[in-house]
Amino acid sequence: MPTSAVRRRPSWAGRNYTLLTASAVVTNLGSHGALIASAFAVLGAGGDGGDVGLVAAARTLPLVLFLLIGGAVADRLPRHHVMVAANVLNCVSQAAFAALVLAGEPLLWQMMLLSGLGGAGQAFFNPAAEGMLLSSVDDEQAGRAFAVFRMAMHGATLGGAALGGAMVAAIGPGWVLAADAAAFAVAAVLRAFLDVKHIPARAPGGGMLADLRDGWREFTGRPWLWGIVVQFSVANAVVGAADAVYGPLVARDHLGGAAPWGVALAFFGGGTVTGALLMTRWQPRRLLLVGTLCVFPLALPSAALALPVPVGVLCTVMFLTGVSVEVFGVSWMTALHQEIPEEKLSRVSAYDWFGSVAMVPAAMALAGPAETAFGRTDALWGCAALVVVVTAAVLCVPDVRNLRRRTRQITGAVDAPVPAGDQAEPTRG
């Protein structure tokens, strides 16, 4: 019985891959419900759209500040140790947030502080997790492995958003935050069993600053890499403001509250699952050209909220957006795996994450004032327009249009598959 189960598992789905997939499913179930819960916890405590934006920005600011350090640390220490420590910090901060909400009316500064601790944990977790995933699959199966992993992860997003929205409506945001804390605890235990023996020992370097300079040279020497990161620096900021600040407000005023908004987010998750399933079969030759064209639909949810459209139409828009952005996500991870040396993966990933989220805190904090100055509708239309402009601009970079997937004939013999005793996580967009 156990033998047949092993045989049914693909050769590239070793122990690390299985453990990281399971842990990503657990954390996504909790985290995407917690995103809804934290927004409605702020509103339930008497806050407004500006306060929701401040709490969201408080989580993202430490993420930006510590990402580069997190990437350097993850290329120096065993990556699974960094991941477990970050999960423990997230568990403690979310448990304290839940306790405050359940005990009564939490103060704004308390919610901002605890959100900030969670963001600091993510700053160390994200580069380590991405480096672990990218180093744990062979070249020939990389695209399929990333697609299957992301399909599982986004399947949990679908369930977490829908369940979280329903739980917020039924029993309040405090219990949803408590469930997220428990999910981080379970994930930390799973990740403690990861095996990093297949990763070569790092040669002694010249210190953290030297490591960061080395990662910077790797990052800036590839126009396709920094061009797309600049694109997502803007796109993630405006999409994040629309989803985290304006989305709950539109849901409260026009859609019927937390539950419909949770369902809409779940449809986005369903789209990402479908997109990942598509990418297990489809391997476009021009990785980044196809992926970047699929970023344009990220403008659609902001436009739908600006109108605003009925819940059914919004769910359809979110689903189609999820499909298209997942094509980009798998293509992007495949390009990183193909082009970046293993010993620099976490540092390059840190610069990637840093650029991609650098403008998010400001966008979150300014979302409320922008609504006051221009009105919610115009602010949302502005978000949609910026996504279109920056995506069109990055298509002007020749490497984005021309980078091709390598085949066995081009690369020669591929590395041996990860042994069955061996790894995988995020999401951009």
Side-chain angles (χ1 to χ4, degrees):
M1 195 65 164
T3 303
S4 65
V6 172
R7 287 174 180 169
R8 285 197 299 270
R9 191 169 64 183
S11 60
W12 43 262
R15 187 179 81 175
N16 280 6
Y17 187 94
T18 303
L19 283 171
L20 283 176
T21 300
S23 58
V25 167
V26 171
T27 51
N28 268 31
L29 279 171
S31 296
H32 284 79
L35 289 175
I36 302 171
S38 61
F40 281 90
V42 175
L43 296 175
D48 57 13
D51 294 330
V52 173
L54 287 174
V55 172
R59 180 176 182 84
T60 312
L61 183 58
L63 176 62
V64 173
L65 292 177
F66 292 109
L67 261 172
L68 298 183
I69 297 174
V73 168
D75 273 341
R76 282 176 167 265
L77 301 178
R79 288 170 180 153
H80 66 313
H81 289 173
V82 178
M83 295 165 70
V84 170
N87 283 167
V88 170
L89 178 58
N90 282 124
C91 173
V92 172
S93 63
Q94 286 296 75
F97 198 162
L100 284 174
V101 174
L102 291 170
E105 291 189 1
L107 300 178
L108 180 61
W109 72 265
Q110 294 171 327
M111 293 186 285
M112 291 177 65
L113 175 62
L114 293 170
S115 293
L117 288 175
Q122 287 301 112
F124 286 86
F125 176 84
N126 288 347
E130 190 157 293
M132 195 77 178
L133 169 61
L134 294 176
S135 68
S136 300
V137 295
D138 68 285
D139 292 340
E140 195 69 16
Q141 297 292 338
R144 180 170 296 166
F146 299 149
V148 171
F149 170 77
R150 290 172 67 95
M151 182 166 57
M153 187 176 68
H154 292 311
T157 298
L158 183 150
L163 183 60
M167 287 177 65
V168 169
I171 59 176
W175 291 110
V176 179
L177 293 167
D180 188 36
F184 276 116
V186 172
V189 172
L190 290 173
R191 287 164 175 149
F193 289 97
L194 293 170
D195 184 359
V196 296
K197 291 194 296 291
H198 67 288
I199 298 177
R202 304 292 187 262
M208 186 169 293
L209 288 179
D211 285 351
L212 290 173
R213 285 195 296 270
D214 193 27
W216 177 250
R217 286 192 293 269
E218 193 74 32
F219 176 77
T220 57
R222 303 174 187 274
W224 62 268
L225 179 57
W226 62 257
I228 288 178
V229 170
V230 170
Q231 170 201 10
F232 272 90
S233 182
V234 176
N236 281 344
V238 297
V239 170
D243 286 353
V245 180
Y246 299 138
L249 294 174
V250 173
R252 182 191 64 186
D253 296 342
H254 301 285
L255 303 179
W261 179 235
V263 171
L265 293 177
F267 266 83
F268 177 83
T272 60
V273 172
T274 304
L277 180 61
L278 169 66
M279 293 302 285
T280 64
R281 299 292 184 181
W282 182 34
Q283 297 187 344
R285 287 278 291 137
R286 296 198 181 191
L287 287 167
L288 297 180
L289 175 61
V290 171
T292 300
L293 290 173
C294 288
V295 177
F296 282 107
L298 267 180
L300 295 178
S302 295
L305 291 170
L307 291 173
V309 299
V311 174
V313 176
L314 178 61
C315 288
T316 301
V317 167
M318 297 290 273
F319 179 84
L320 294 175
T321 302
V323 173
S324 63
V325 79
E326 191 60 17
V327 174
F328 169 83
V330 174
S331 299
W332 176 250
M333 293 185 74
T334 305
L336 291 176
H337 174 270
Q338 173 178 293
E339 300 294 327
I340 307 300
E342 190 281 331
E343 69 275 8
K344 300 178 182 179
L345 280 172
S346 288
R347 276 168 287 171
V348 170
S349 175
Y351 280 107
D352 171 17
W353 277 96
F354 177 82
S356 298
V357 302
M359 295 177 63
V360 172
M364 297 288 192
L366 293 173
E371 180 185 16
T372 301
F374 306 109
R376 189 186 303 163
T377 298
D378 287 346
L380 283 164
W381 281 118
C383 291
L386 282 171
V387 171
V388 172
V389 169
V390 296
T391 304
V394 84
L395 287 174
C396 297
V397 179
D399 287 350
V400 172
R401 300 193 304 270
N402 298 326
L403 182 68
R404 285 173 167 79
R405 180 189 303 271
R406 292 179 187 166
T407 64
R408 182 180 295 270
Q409 287 72 28
I410 294 175
T411 61
V414 299
D415 295 337
V418 178
D422 292 317
Q423 203 208 62
E425 187 159 303
T427 152
R428 173 175 317 280

